[in-house]
Amino acid sequence: MTLSGLDGSLTKHVAIIGAGPAGLFAAQHLAEADVRVSLFDQRPSPARKFLMAGLGGLNLTHSEDLEVFLSRYRPAHAQLLKSVRDFPPAALRKWSAGLGQPTFEGSSGKVFPESFKASPLLRNWLKRLDQHGVTLHTNTRWHGFDEAGSVLLQKGNEPIEAQAFDAVLLALGGGSWAKLGSDGAWVSTLRDKQIDVNALLPANCGFEIAFSDHFKDRYKGTPLKKIAVSHGERRVVGDAMLDASGIEGGVIYALSADLRDAILATGAAQIEIDLKPDVSADKLASKLKRPRGKQSMSNYLRKATGLPAAAIALMREAGPLPIEADELVARIKALPLRLTAPRPIDRAISSAGGISFDEIDEHYMLSKLPGVFVAGEMLDWEAPTGGYLLQAVFATGRSAALGMNAYLQD
């Protein structure tokens, strides 16, 4: 619908469904362009997943070279990469500083607000949106569109109502962390409109391993510090966490897309763990060729190599420990583990799959639903943790907002 502005001019009115970072960022751009924005979210408060992600430190983006940065996305769709080029990490850092939250680079190149948390940034952000007249409606669920193209919205348990807008942005997130709002319920709604949506899959997730009962009981919740994990041609150094049914953590998340796809293709995937990536095989061999005496094998390994008890127990999960030094070194430097399944999508940090880029035009508008735009994790892309996820969410939210504004002008 077209509404008269306070000054008598015609003001366009848009709906944004989903008050995560993509929706909030689009709302900011549109409101600053004098568009009337109504923002709807099904949860009692906005940006719950954004806040959860910031509990351990809000990793906004990454400081590495832009071309390297762009190589982290898969599929590497040209439209997604263009959005990130148009709104690169430097621009996101400048935006954060403009909200009173300057950023800093961590030792790994990750970029954080100086407050380290998401809540101070979000408070300032919501205040700015309010100043620009953005109206936030919480506890409101989207139920699709009626035959006339109006938006079907339900406040709490009230009856579903149809509301007409000049344009609509869908920013409903992917399928992970459903309790925070991104439950993937929109997939069937859009498929009913003949829109191609690839299945949502877990990304940046842990994996199942058939550990022995002894190992499960004793070592669940135990970290593995500074290991190297290899799969195929890729090798990643970092930390992992063991639990009763498998393994997760940053070093696993970095490989999760390849591991998930391998399991989907063949039913299982194998990784090899280097438990001592900073120590050469020759140096380990020289230490392990010393007489063991009356020591147990576990004590001998612990004293000779510095391996923690969990790492030694993990070596036993691959079979009885060899006696010869060279074979022990081979087990330490390339411990094989068989992964049988990715963790469920609701336990994943993010999701893969989503709306095919073939379904949208260069402005992020759905070709089959003129006036309806999409952004963020609803689209078919994925990236590792490290700031890449949020960067693309912000960038696509901005691109969709610019596309909506151009559509409204036309």
Side-chain angles (χ1 to χ4, degrees), residues 300-377:
Y300 175 63
L301 280 171
R302 178 176 56 82
K303 292 179 179 179
T305 66
L307 286 170
I312 296 170
L314 195 61
M315 290 172 62
R316 295 182 188 276
E317 291 295 298
L321 291 178
I323 302 299
E324 298 297 325
D326 290 341
E327 294 179 14
L328 277 173
V329 170
R331 182 75 61 90
I332 294 169
K333 300 295 287 183
L335 169 64
L337 289 179
R338 185 174 184 269
L339 312 182
T340 58
R343 294 282 164 76
I345 192 169
D346 198 43
R347 292 184 60 184
I349 291 175
S350 59
S351 58
I355 299 167
S356 169
F357 275 85
D358 293 337
E359 294 286 353
I360 62 174
D361 68 10
E362 68 273 21
H363 300 300
Y364 285 82
M365 184 173 74
L366 289 167
S367 301
K368 294 171 184 172
L369 295 176
V372 179
F373 297 74
V374 292
E377 277 195 79

Side-chain angles (χ1 to χ4, degrees), residues 135 295 297 306 312 378:
T135 305
Q295 299 179 84
M297 179 60 82
I312 296 170
M378 291 183 73

Side-chain angles (χ1 to χ4, degrees), residues 245-288:
S245 62
I247 190 168
E248 58 183 35
V251 71
I252 298 298
Y253 301 154
L255 295 168
S256 63
D258 292 334
L259 295 172
R260 178 200 65 224
D261 291 350
I263 291 171
L264 290 174
T266 66
Q270 180 168 297
I271 59 173
E272 292 182 345
I273 299 181
D274 184 345
L275 295 168
K276 301 293 288 187
D278 291 339
V279 183
S280 69
D282 289 342
K283 189 171 183 179
L284 283 173
S286 67
K287 292 181 177 182
L288 291 171

Side-chain angles (χ1 to χ4, degrees), residues 140-298:
T140 304
R141 178 173 284 274
W142 174 69
H143 288 275
F145 303 96
D146 67 9
E147 292 183 359
S150 295
V151 181
L152 299 175
L153 296 167
Q154 182 181 26
K155 177 76 171 181
N157 294 319
E158 297 175 8
I160 296 174
E161 293 186 354
Q163 297 186 37
F165 297 91
D166 292 297
V168 177
L169 171 65
L170 302 178
L172 291 155
S176 64
W177 296 8
K179 66 180 181 181
L180 302 180
S182 55
D183 56 14
W186 53 267
V187 172
S188 59
T189 303
L190 292 186
R191 283 178 174 166
D192 287 344
K193 296 289 185 180
Q194 308 307 310
I195 292 168
D196 182 17
V197 182
N198 294 316
L200 298 181
L201 299 171
N204 293 299
C205 59
F207 290 84
E208 302 294 320
I209 300 174
F211 287 136
S212 66
D213 290 339
H214 169 77
F215 188 90
K216 292 178 185 178
D217 294 339
R218 188 161 184 180
Y219 295 106
K220 61 184 178 183
T222 302
L224 290 175
K225 295 289 188 179
K226 200 167 185 182
I227 59 173
V229 177
S230 298
H231 174 73
E233 299 298 318
R234 297 188 62 198
R235 174 182 166 93
V236 181
V237 178
D239 300 337
M241 178 69 72
L242 299 168
D243 61 29
S245 62
I247 190 168
E248 58 183 35
V251 71
I252 298 298
Y253 301 154
L255 295 168
S256 63
D258 292 334
L259 295 172
R260 178 200 65 224
D261 291 350
I263 291 171
L264 290 174
T266 66
Q270 180 168 297
I271 59 173
E272 292 182 345
I273 299 181
D274 184 345
L275 295 168
K276 301 293 288 187
D278 291 339
V279 183
S280 69
D282 289 342
K283 189 171 183 179
L284 283 173
S286 67
K287 292 181 177 182
L288 291 171
K289 286 177 180 177
R290 297 168 186 169
R292 191 176 103 189
K294 295 182 179 180
Q295 299 179 84
S296 68
M297 179 60 82
S298 293

